[in-house]
């Protein structure tokens, strides 16, 4: 792998042990995937931020690092709302450890926006090389924005943040961004984001790590977010195309002839909507956009929740949508920032959780030990209020 003079010096330890170690991570990754060179990145997004997921070993590893990010870098959601953790029922012991993790990242120059939707906060444009690690953000940035990132792990995204470069392989190379299978969807009728989450749940299992090319659907941006997040969770999809909608599908004329084609019928999707009893409802996987907060506020106005209803978003989006947040909280629901239903221990005491997200539908059973039920946003609000 070709390195420039400065990269060689970094690898030789001339700029400190942490930068040497970070360069070694990137070079090793590059060698494994036959990268010929490094490519400068515009931004990084670093997962592995919740003490629930990284534990003591992860905390000690991050604490031992001593360098600063060379490019704008944003942290993934952590295990609690940094201001309202007591209200979430988080134990002081967990909170103390979580604060230590956050401080360790802050010392490395990582922005503490703590969100899986960094695309609402950073300027990321078509063709930008980036190094993001949260799988739903990877799917969105590659597919909806047309930026270029592989599905990084927390350490490799952190290494890229500190070095400001990443190995040039995989989805950074245009030739590797062609579809690997076609998914023909019976998409007739109007659908909400949960329907796209359910479709993504099915499609991700079929696609694995291939690049799907969808025909028959016309999702908006929030629905694309739901679709990509679900496929990244039930499969390992890092990029998808939707005919006539996503930028690469319009820039390159892909010829799907000869590719495996998988049909998805409406019944397969509707079969996922099961009416099981739940004891909590959680919305905001990935973190809610301003429009999604507006839709929740509209549905909750003048109502009172009878079951715990959690809404997750980033602090920045919540701050810019104060009037929606006030309406939602007046109903008794809670809008928490910095965290989510999966990476926080706050959902671990429930037996069954209703969500409107294909990703949360996949992860809640394993990560929270609760059964998951998927429903539309309207159904989620009705269940929370009944
Ligand atoms: Fe984001 Fe948590 Fe879902 S990190 S994508 S809200 S599992």
């Amino acid at each position: 792998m070709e390195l420039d003079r400065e990269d060689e010096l970094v690898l030789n330890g001339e700029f400190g042990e942490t930068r040497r170690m970070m360069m070694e991570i990137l070079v090793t990754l590059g060698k494994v995937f036959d990268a010929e060179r490094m490519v400068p990145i515009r931004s990084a997004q670093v997962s592995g931020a919740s003490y629930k997921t990284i534990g003591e070993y992860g905390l000690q590893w991050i604490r031992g690092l001593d360098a600063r990010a060379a490019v704008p870098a944003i942290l993934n959601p952590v295990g609690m709302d940094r201001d309202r953790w007591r209200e979430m029922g988080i134990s002081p012991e967990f909170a103390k450890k979580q604060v230590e993790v956050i401080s360790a990242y802050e010392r490395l120059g990582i922005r503490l926006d703590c969100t899986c939707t960094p695309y609402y906060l950073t300027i990321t444009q078509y063709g930008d090389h980036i190094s993001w690690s949260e799988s739903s953000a990877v799917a969105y940035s590659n597919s909806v924005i047309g930026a270029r990132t592989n599905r990084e792990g927390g350490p490799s995204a952190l290494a890229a943040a500190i070095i400001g470069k990443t190995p040039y392989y995989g989805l950074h190379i245009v030739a590797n961004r062609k579809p690997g299978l076609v998914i023909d969807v019976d998409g007739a009728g109007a659908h909400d984001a949960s329907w796209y989450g359910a479709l993504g749940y099915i499609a991700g299992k079929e696609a694995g790590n291939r690049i799907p090319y969808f025909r028959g659907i016309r999702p908006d941006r929030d629905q694309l977010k739901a679709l990509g997040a679900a496929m990244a969770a039930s499969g390992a999809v890092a990029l998808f195309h939707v005919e006539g909608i996503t930028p690469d599908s319009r820039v390159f004329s892909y010829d799907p002839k000869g590719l495996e084609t998988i049909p998805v019928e409406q019944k397969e999707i509707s079969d996922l909507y099961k009416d099981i009893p739940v004891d909590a409802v959680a919305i905001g996987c990935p973190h809610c956009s301003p429009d999604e907060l507006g839709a929740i506020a509209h549905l909750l106005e003048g109502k009172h929740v009878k079951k715990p209803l959690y809404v997750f978003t980033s602090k920045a989006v919540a701050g810019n949508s104060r009037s929606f947040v006030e309406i939602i909280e007046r109903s008794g629901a809670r809008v928490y920032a910095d965290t989510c239903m999966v990476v926080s221990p706050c959902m671990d005491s429930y037996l069954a959780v209703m969500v409107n997200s294909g990703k949360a539908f996949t992860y809640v059973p394993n990560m929270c030990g609760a059964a998951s039920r998927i429903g539309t946003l309207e159904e989620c609000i009705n269940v929370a209020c009944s």
Side-chain angles (χ1 to χ4, degrees), residues 45 76-78 114-117 119 134-137 229 283-288 312-313 339-344 357 359-360 363 367:
Q45 193 259 356
N76 212 36
V78 296
C114 304
T115 183
C116 50
T117 55
Y119 36 86
E134 153 47 43
S135 65
S136 70
I283 298 167
C285 173
H287 276 172
C288 285
F312 297 99
T313 188
T339 187
C340 80
M341 68 282 271
V342 169
V343 300
S344 167
S357 149
K359 175 167 178 175
Y363 277 4
M367 295 291 291

Side-chain angles (χ1 to χ4, degrees), residues 1 4 7-8 10 63 93 101 147 167 175 195 270 275 284 291-292 308 351 354:
M1 186 175 168
D4 67 20
D7 292 345
E8 292 281 7
V10 173
R63 249 195 183 153
E93 296 75 31
V101 175
W195 188 89
S270 56
D275 186 7
D291 283 353
E292 289 170 319
L351 295 176
M354 186 166 186

